[in-house]
Amino acid sequence: MPLNSPAMTQNDSESDPRSQLTKIANPSQVFEKKAHIIQLIPGVTQTSSKRLKDVEVYVPIVYGTIAFWLGRKATETQSHRWTIYVRGATNEDLSGVIKKVVFQLHPSFNNPVRVVESPPFELSECGWGEFEIAISLHFHDDVGEKKLDLYHHLKLYTENEPGPQSTKKPVVVETYNEVVFPDPPEDFFSRIQNHPAVVVPRLPPTFKLPPAPIEDLHELKRGDTKNHPLSQWFINFSEADELLKLTAARQRVQAHIVKLRRQLSVMDELPPTVKMDSD
């Protein structure tokens, strides 16, 4: 945070319910990780493409910050260099779904609203204070959904490390999210059904989708973060027990919803006398 700006410290966010979801992975690693599922409301924006009922796709994403103490180069107003980012959970390119990302920094920064329109979706800054960063994900038009707003608390200091900070070991805070798109438009589904960053269900062989555009594999790899300079510090969420439980719960709920919808559909087709008998 620049000079003469009021810093928001970790203590200021203790009353925030989001902070209660934080899990310390290992105090010696100075890592924090969180896990959530975000389900969007289908049909909130108009799209010319027909929607696929009882179908959902989801995109595993990770957003977070990595902060390095500057050591001897640190000053009173420039103690850390940090990077905030949104990446694929397996470091795949997210630009097939996300059109741009808007980061809202503390108002004391010059140009506090930063727009990143191509991957990697990130920005780096120097400062001294901790504060909350608003992150807005804007999707491509054929996704048929409004923007998704997320919030992340920039953390520069760890409370579990004894002694002075290290310039070689950063403070890493990451959040895993599964962004669920229920009833996706056919055009969107057709375009991303083979995209490595998107998880899609199998449709019946008889189901016909619009022809999918030919994806440039080179372009897909260009936006990934597998060889990112900070990738050694990224947290691996793929084997986390809590994430497996979240995925399994989401699948059970979706299957139950589909079952109930089918039962209601059958009931609607029955004659009134049969409905009364079944009651």
Side-chain angles (χ1 to χ4, degrees):
M1 190 176 297
L3 183 62
N4 298 329
S5 58
M8 177 182 288
T9 64
Q10 182 68 22
N11 292 333
D12 295 329
S13 65
E14 287 181 351
S15 60
D16 188 340
R18 285 190 295 267
S19 63
Q20 299 175 8
L21 299 174
T22 302
K23 176 179 179 181
I24 304 298
N26 189 324
S28 64
Q29 291 178 308
V30 203
F31 287 153
E32 288 187 11
K33 59 181 180 180
K34 310 173 188 178
H36 309 282
I37 290 180
I38 299 177
Q39 180 152 339
L40 302 179
I41 301 174
V44 294
T45 60
Q46 292 183 350
T47 175
S48 59
S49 178
K50 180 181 177 183
R51 288 185 175 269
L52 300 174
K53 296 298 182 181
D54 299 331
V55 174
E56 64 178 28
V57 302
Y58 66 95
V59 181
I61 68 169
V62 172
Y63 59 93
T65 48
I66 296 179
F68 283 91
W69 180 53
L70 296 178
R72 293 182 179 180
K73 296 181 180 180
T75 65
E76 183 178 350
T77 59
Q78 302 286 317
S79 60
H80 291 76
R81 181 166 182 82
W82 49 265
T83 300
I84 184 165
Y85 49 86
V86 179
R87 64 179 178 88
T90 56
N91 294 310
E92 300 290 354
D93 183 6
L94 293 175
S95 62
V97 178
I98 297 176
K99 183 177 182 179
K100 66 179 179 181
V101 176
V102 179
F103 297 97
Q104 175 74 55
L105 306 182
H106 191 276
S108 58
F109 280 90
N110 292 327
N111 185 24
V113 179
R114 310 286 178 86
V115 181
V116 182
E117 297 184 330
S118 61
F121 298 109
E122 64 179 37
L123 67 87
S124 297
E125 269 290 355
C126 287
W128 60 271
E130 299 181 346
F131 59 95
E132 187 175 67
I133 302 174
I135 308 170
S136 296
L137 307 184
H138 294 256
F139 306 111
H140 289 285
D141 293 341
D142 63 350
V143 176
E145 303 293 348
K146 291 184 178 180
K147 68 174 182 175
L148 173 62
D149 293 325
L150 306 169
Y151 299 91
H152 178 79
H153 186 83
L154 170 64
K155 189 168 185 179
L156 306 181
Y157 306 94
T158 176
E159 302 171 358
N160 301 294
E161 278 285 298
Q165 278 193 287
S166 169
T167 58
K168 297 182 179 180
K169 186 165 56 175
V171 176
V172 182
V173 181
E174 289 194 330
T175 299
Y176 172 102
N177 272 339
E178 288 182 0
V179 184
V180 181
F181 298 89
D183 301 345
E186 288 184 351
D187 289 345
F188 169 55
F189 188 95
S190 177
R191 181 172 63 81
I192 51 83
Q193 60 181 324
N194 296 317
H195 198 290
V198 185
V199 181
V200 300
R202 287 187 177 183
L203 296 180
T206 57
F207 200 93
K208 294 183 179 181
L209 288 170
I214 300 176
E215 297 281 2
D216 188 336
L217 295 179
H218 176 71
E219 288 296 316
L220 290 178
K221 292 181 180 180
R222 183 180 64 84
D224 67 30
T225 52
K226 293 180 180 179
N227 296 317
H228 194 282
L230 298 176
S231 60
Q232 64 173 313
W233 305 110
F234 291 163
I235 300 175
N236 182 8
F237 287 88
S238 60
E239 298 179 356
D241 291 339
E242 64 270 28
L243 304 182
L244 295 176
K245 292 177 181 178
L246 286 172
T247 301
R250 181 190 58 78
Q251 293 173 344
R252 288 196 300 269
V253 170
Q254 179 64 15
H256 188 61
I257 291 174
V258 172
K259 181 179 178 181
L260 289 177
R261 285 180 176 176
R262 289 175 179 172
Q263 291 177 348
L264 290 174
S265 178
V266 172
M267 291 294 294
D268 290 339
E269 295 176 357
L270 292 176
T273 54
V274 176
K275 291 183 180 180
M276 292 180 62
D277 294 340
S278 61
D279 293 340

mmCIF file of all heavy atoms in Angstrom, residues 138-161:
data_model
loop_
_atom_site.group_PDB
_atom_site.id
_atom_site.type_symbol
_atom_site.label_atom_id
_atom_site.label_comp_id
_atom_site.label_asym_id
_atom_site.label_seq_id
_atom_site.Cartn_x
_atom_site.Cartn_y
_atom_site.Cartn_z
ATOM 1 N N HIS A 138 -15.451 -11.508 -15.705
ATOM 2 C CA HIS A 138 -16.392 -11.223 -16.785
ATOM 3 C C HIS A 138 -16.286 -12.355 -17.810
ATOM 4 O O HIS A 138 -15.187 -12.656 -18.300
ATOM 5 C CB HIS A 138 -16.073 -9.881 -17.438
ATOM 6 C CG HIS A 138 -16.270 -8.711 -16.534
ATOM 7 N ND1 HIS A 138 -17.354 -7.863 -16.631
ATOM 8 C CD2 HIS A 138 -15.522 -8.248 -15.485
ATOM 9 C CE1 HIS A 138 -17.269 -6.920 -15.697
ATOM 10 N NE2 HIS A 138 -16.165 -7.135 -14.989
ATOM 11 N N PHE A 139 -17.423 -12.971 -18.128
ATOM 12 C CA PHE A 139 -17.434 -14.127 -19.011
ATOM 13 C C PHE A 139 -17.723 -13.715 -20.455
ATOM 14 O O PHE A 139 -18.235 -12.629 -20.728
ATOM 15 C CB PHE A 139 -18.482 -15.136 -18.532
ATOM 16 C CG PHE A 139 -18.322 -15.528 -17.092
ATOM 17 C CD1 PHE A 139 -19.243 -15.136 -16.123
ATOM 18 C CD2 PHE A 139 -17.237 -16.287 -16.687
ATOM 19 C CE1 PHE A 139 -19.091 -15.493 -14.800
ATOM 20 C CE2 PHE A 139 -17.067 -16.648 -15.355
ATOM 21 C CZ PHE A 139 -17.998 -16.248 -14.417
ATOM 22 N N HIS A 140 -17.401 -14.617 -21.375
ATOM 23 C CA HIS A 140 -17.708 -14.383 -22.780
ATOM 24 C C HIS A 140 -19.223 -14.327 -22.978
ATOM 25 O O HIS A 140 -19.998 -14.904 -22.202
ATOM 26 C CB HIS A 140 -17.095 -15.480 -23.650
ATOM 27 C CG HIS A 140 -15.592 -15.387 -23.742
ATOM 28 N ND1 HIS A 140 -14.956 -14.435 -24.504
ATOM 29 C CD2 HIS A 140 -14.615 -16.135 -23.168
ATOM 30 C CE1 HIS A 140 -13.649 -14.585 -24.398
ATOM 31 N NE2 HIS A 140 -13.408 -15.608 -23.587
ATOM 32 N N ASP A 141 -19.650 -13.658 -24.041
ATOM 33 C CA ASP A 141 -21.078 -13.428 -24.269
ATOM 34 C C ASP A 141 -21.872 -14.724 -24.369
ATOM 35 O O ASP A 141 -23.005 -14.803 -23.872
ATOM 36 C CB ASP A 141 -21.273 -12.602 -25.545
ATOM 37 C CG ASP A 141 -20.726 -11.189 -25.396
ATOM 38 O OD1 ASP A 141 -20.547 -10.743 -24.249
ATOM 39 O OD2 ASP A 141 -20.468 -10.538 -26.431
ATOM 40 N N ASP A 142 -21.304 -15.760 -25.003
ATOM 41 C CA ASP A 142 -22.077 -16.991 -25.190
ATOM 42 C C ASP A 142 -22.241 -17.793 -23.905
ATOM 43 O O ASP A 142 -22.996 -18.758 -23.867
ATOM 44 C CB ASP A 142 -21.461 -17.868 -26.287
ATOM 45 C CG ASP A 142 -20.055 -18.358 -25.934
ATOM 46 O OD1 ASP A 142 -19.479 -17.886 -24.938
ATOM 47 O OD2 ASP A 142 -19.528 -19.213 -26.685
ATOM 48 N N VAL A 143 -21.545 -17.399 -22.826
ATOM 49 C CA VAL A 143 -21.721 -18.073 -21.539
ATOM 50 C C VAL A 143 -23.109 -17.768 -20.979
ATOM 51 O O VAL A 143 -23.708 -18.591 -20.282
ATOM 52 C CB VAL A 143 -20.619 -17.651 -20.553
ATOM 53 C CG1 VAL A 143 -20.844 -18.282 -19.180
ATOM 54 C CG2 VAL A 143 -19.245 -18.037 -21.094
ATOM 55 N N GLY A 144 -23.628 -16.578 -21.289
ATOM 56 C CA GLY A 144 -24.975 -16.229 -20.849
ATOM 57 C C GLY A 144 -25.096 -15.940 -19.369
ATOM 58 O O GLY A 144 -26.177 -16.085 -18.797
ATOM 59 N N GLU A 145 -24.010 -15.518 -18.729
ATOM 60 C CA GLU A 145 -24.051 -15.210 -17.306
ATOM 61 C C GLU A 145 -23.429 -13.843 -17.048
ATOM 62 O O GLU A 145 -22.546 -13.392 -17.787
ATOM 63 C CB GLU A 145 -23.274 -16.263 -16.496
ATOM 64 C CG GLU A 145 -23.747 -17.688 -16.683
ATOM 65 C CD GLU A 145 -25.133 -17.944 -16.135
ATOM 66 O OE1 GLU A 145 -25.645 -17.074 -15.399
ATOM 67 O OE2 GLU A 145 -25.699 -19.003 -16.438
ATOM 68 N N LYS A 146 -23.908 -13.180 -15.987
ATOM 69 C CA LYS A 146 -23.330 -11.913 -15.585
ATOM 70 C C LYS A 146 -21.968 -12.149 -14.926
ATOM 71 O O LYS A 146 -21.542 -13.270 -14.708
ATOM 72 C CB LYS A 146 -24.265 -11.184 -14.614
ATOM 73 C CG LYS A 146 -25.557 -10.690 -15.247
ATOM 74 C CD LYS A 146 -26.374 -9.910 -14.235
ATOM 75 C CE LYS A 146 -27.651 -9.359 -14.856
ATOM 76 N NZ LYS A 146 -28.456 -8.594 -13.874
ATOM 77 N N LYS A 147 -21.318 -11.059 -14.580
ATOM 78 C CA LYS A 147 -20.007 -11.153 -13.946
ATOM 79 C C LYS A 147 -20.116 -11.811 -12.575
ATOM 80 O O LYS A 147 -21.179 -11.809 -11.934
ATOM 81 C CB LYS A 147 -19.379 -9.774 -13.815
ATOM 82 C CG LYS A 147 -20.101 -8.875 -12.817
ATOM 83 C CD LYS A 147 -19.355 -7.567 -12.615
ATOM 84 C CE LYS A 147 -20.066 -6.696 -11.582
ATOM 85 N NZ LYS A 147 -19.322 -5.470 -11.264
ATOM 86 N N LEU A 148 -19.030 -12.368 -12.114
ATOM 87 C CA LEU A 148 -18.959 -12.993 -10.800
ATOM 88 C C LEU A 148 -17.981 -12.199 -9.952
ATOM 89 O O LEU A 148 -16.825 -12.002 -10.340
ATOM 90 C CB LEU A 148 -18.493 -14.447 -10.925
ATOM 91 C CG LEU A 148 -18.216 -15.189 -9.619
ATOM 92 C CD1 LEU A 148 -19.482 -15.293 -8.773
ATOM 93 C CD2 LEU A 148 -17.638 -16.574 -9.895
ATOM 94 N N ASP A 149 -18.436 -11.732 -8.789
ATOM 95 C CA ASP A 149 -17.598 -10.930 -7.896
ATOM 96 C C ASP A 149 -17.029 -11.800 -6.779
ATOM 97 O O ASP A 149 -17.767 -12.519 -6.091
ATOM 98 C CB ASP A 149 -18.405 -9.780 -7.292
ATOM 99 C CG ASP A 149 -18.826 -8.751 -8.331
ATOM 100 O OD1 ASP A 149 -18.045 -8.513 -9.269
ATOM 101 O OD2 ASP A 149 -19.943 -8.201 -8.201
ATOM 102 N N LEU A 150 -15.728 -11.707 -6.602
ATOM 103 C CA LEU A 150 -15.017 -12.439 -5.559
ATOM 104 C C LEU A 150 -14.235 -11.440 -4.712
ATOM 105 O O LEU A 150 -14.011 -10.304 -5.124
ATOM 106 C CB LEU A 150 -14.056 -13.461 -6.177
ATOM 107 C CG LEU A 150 -14.648 -14.452 -7.174
ATOM 108 C CD1 LEU A 150 -13.535 -15.212 -7.886
ATOM 109 C CD2 LEU A 150 -15.600 -15.413 -6.488
ATOM 110 N N TYR A 151 -13.796 -11.891 -3.537
ATOM 111 C CA TYR A 151 -13.037 -11.018 -2.649
ATOM 112 C C TYR A 151 -11.875 -11.801 -2.044
ATOM 113 O O TYR A 151 -12.022 -12.965 -1.665
ATOM 114 C CB TYR A 151 -13.939 -10.457 -1.539
ATOM 115 C CG TYR A 151 -15.075 -9.623 -2.090
ATOM 116 C CD1 TYR A 151 -16.300 -10.219 -2.392
ATOM 117 C CD2 TYR A 151 -14.910 -8.270 -2.338
ATOM 118 C CE1 TYR A 151 -17.340 -9.472 -2.925
ATOM 119 C CE2 TYR A 151 -15.950 -7.516 -2.868
ATOM 120 C CZ TYR A 151 -17.153 -8.125 -3.164
ATOM 121 O OH TYR A 151 -18.171 -7.394 -3.697
ATOM 122 N N HIS A 152 -10.740 -11.117 -1.972
ATOM 123 C CA HIS A 152 -9.544 -11.780 -1.452
ATOM 124 C C HIS A 152 -8.798 -10.813 -0.541
ATOM 125 O O HIS A 152 -8.606 -9.640 -0.882
ATOM 126 C CB HIS A 152 -8.628 -12.215 -2.599
ATOM 127 C CG HIS A 152 -7.354 -12.852 -2.125
ATOM 128 N ND1 HIS A 152 -7.295 -14.168 -1.694
ATOM 129 C CD2 HIS A 152 -6.099 -12.362 -1.999
ATOM 130 C CE1 HIS A 152 -6.056 -14.455 -1.336
ATOM 131 N NE2 HIS A 152 -5.318 -13.384 -1.501
ATOM 132 N N HIS A 153 -8.377 -11.310 0.624
ATOM 133 C CA HIS A 153 -7.621 -10.492 1.575
ATOM 134 C C HIS A 153 -6.127 -10.665 1.318
ATOM 135 O O HIS A 153 -5.590 -11.774 1.448
ATOM 136 C CB HIS A 153 -7.953 -10.873 3.015
ATOM 137 C CG HIS A 153 -7.318 -9.965 4.029
ATOM 138 N ND1 HIS A 153 -7.872 -8.760 4.396
ATOM 139 C CD2 HIS A 153 -6.158 -10.074 4.730
ATOM 140 C CE1 HIS A 153 -7.085 -8.170 5.291
ATOM 141 N NE2 HIS A 153 -6.040 -8.954 5.501
ATOM 142 N N LEU A 154 -5.485 -9.586 0.914
ATOM 143 C CA LEU A 154 -4.036 -9.606 0.705
ATOM 144 C C LEU A 154 -3.336 -9.776 2.049
ATOM 145 O O LEU A 154 -3.542 -8.993 2.973
ATOM 146 C CB LEU A 154 -3.587 -8.304 0.040
ATOM 147 C CG LEU A 154 -2.074 -8.075 -0.029
ATOM 148 C CD1 LEU A 154 -1.404 -9.138 -0.900
ATOM 149 C CD2 LEU A 154 -1.775 -6.680 -0.551
ATOM 150 N N LYS A 155 -2.499 -10.803 2.128
ATOM 151 C CA LYS A 155 -1.778 -11.062 3.367
ATOM 152 C C LYS A 155 -0.278 -10.973 3.107
ATOM 153 O O LYS A 155 0.250 -11.668 2.226
ATOM 154 C CB LYS A 155 -2.143 -12.441 3.925
ATOM 155 C CG LYS A 155 -1.607 -12.699 5.328
ATOM 156 C CD LYS A 155 -2.230 -13.926 5.952
ATOM 157 C CE LYS A 155 -1.774 -14.090 7.399
ATOM 158 N NZ LYS A 155 -2.394 -15.268 8.045
ATOM 159 N N LEU A 156 0.395 -10.133 3.879
ATOM 160 C CA LEU A 156 1.837 -9.931 3.722
ATOM 161 C C LEU A 156 2.650 -10.585 4.832
ATOM 162 O O LEU A 156 3.838 -10.869 4.640
ATOM 163 C CB LEU A 156 2.161 -8.430 3.694
ATOM 164 C CG LEU A 156 1.412 -7.578 2.669
ATOM 165 C CD1 LEU A 156 1.869 -6.122 2.775
ATOM 166 C CD2 LEU A 156 1.606 -8.114 1.269
ATOM 167 N N TYR A 157 2.020 -10.802 5.962
ATOM 168 C CA TYR A 157 2.740 -11.302 7.138
ATOM 169 C C TYR A 157 2.076 -12.582 7.632
ATOM 170 O O TYR A 157 0.875 -12.766 7.519
ATOM 171 C CB TYR A 157 2.741 -10.256 8.261
ATOM 172 C CG TYR A 157 3.255 -8.907 7.830
ATOM 173 C CD1 TYR A 157 2.368 -7.922 7.398
ATOM 174 C CD2 TYR A 157 4.618 -8.619 7.844
ATOM 175 C CE1 TYR A 157 2.830 -6.670 7.001
ATOM 176 C CE2 TYR A 157 5.083 -7.372 7.448
ATOM 177 C CZ TYR A 157 4.190 -6.404 7.018
ATOM 178 O OH TYR A 157 4.644 -5.184 6.610
ATOM 179 N N THR A 158 2.879 -13.464 8.180
ATOM 180 C CA THR A 158 2.355 -14.695 8.756
ATOM 181 C C THR A 158 2.438 -14.625 10.266
ATOM 182 O O THR A 158 3.378 -14.048 10.824
ATOM 183 C CB THR A 158 3.130 -15.916 8.253
ATOM 184 O OG1 THR A 158 2.648 -17.088 8.924
ATOM 185 C CG2 THR A 158 4.624 -15.792 8.520
ATOM 186 N N GLU A 159 1.453 -15.200 10.922
ATOM 187 C CA GLU A 159 1.409 -15.187 12.381
ATOM 188 C C GLU A 159 2.009 -16.447 12.979
ATOM 189 O O GLU A 159 2.086 -16.580 14.187
ATOM 190 C CB GLU A 159 -0.045 -15.035 12.844
ATOM 191 C CG GLU A 159 -0.715 -13.774 12.323
ATOM 192 C CD GLU A 159 -2.203 -13.748 12.618
ATOM 193 O OE1 GLU A 159 -2.684 -14.733 13.200
ATOM 194 O OE2 GLU A 159 -2.865 -12.756 12.271
ATOM 195 N N ASN A 160 2.427 -17.388 12.138
ATOM 196 C CA ASN A 160 2.889 -18.689 12.634
ATOM 197 C C ASN A 160 4.387 -18.912 12.460
ATOM 198 O O ASN A 160 4.912 -19.931 12.886
ATOM 199 C CB ASN A 160 2.144 -19.814 11.901
ATOM 200 C CG ASN A 160 0.652 -19.728 12.093
ATOM 201 O OD1 ASN A 160 0.157 -19.892 13.193
ATOM 202 N ND2 ASN A 160 -0.069 -19.454 11.018
ATOM 203 N N GLU A 161 5.075 -17.987 11.808
ATOM 204 C CA GLU A 161 6.501 -18.147 11.563
ATOM 205 C C GLU A 161 7.302 -17.393 12.619
ATOM 206 O O GLU A 161 7.204 -16.171 12.712
ATOM 207 C CB GLU A 161 6.866 -17.618 10.172
ATOM 208 C CG GLU A 161 6.599 -18.598 9.046
ATOM 209 C CD GLU A 161 7.641 -19.708 9.000
ATOM 210 O OE1 GLU A 161 8.823 -19.426 8.799
ATOM 211 O OE2 GLU A 161 7.251 -20.863 9.183
#
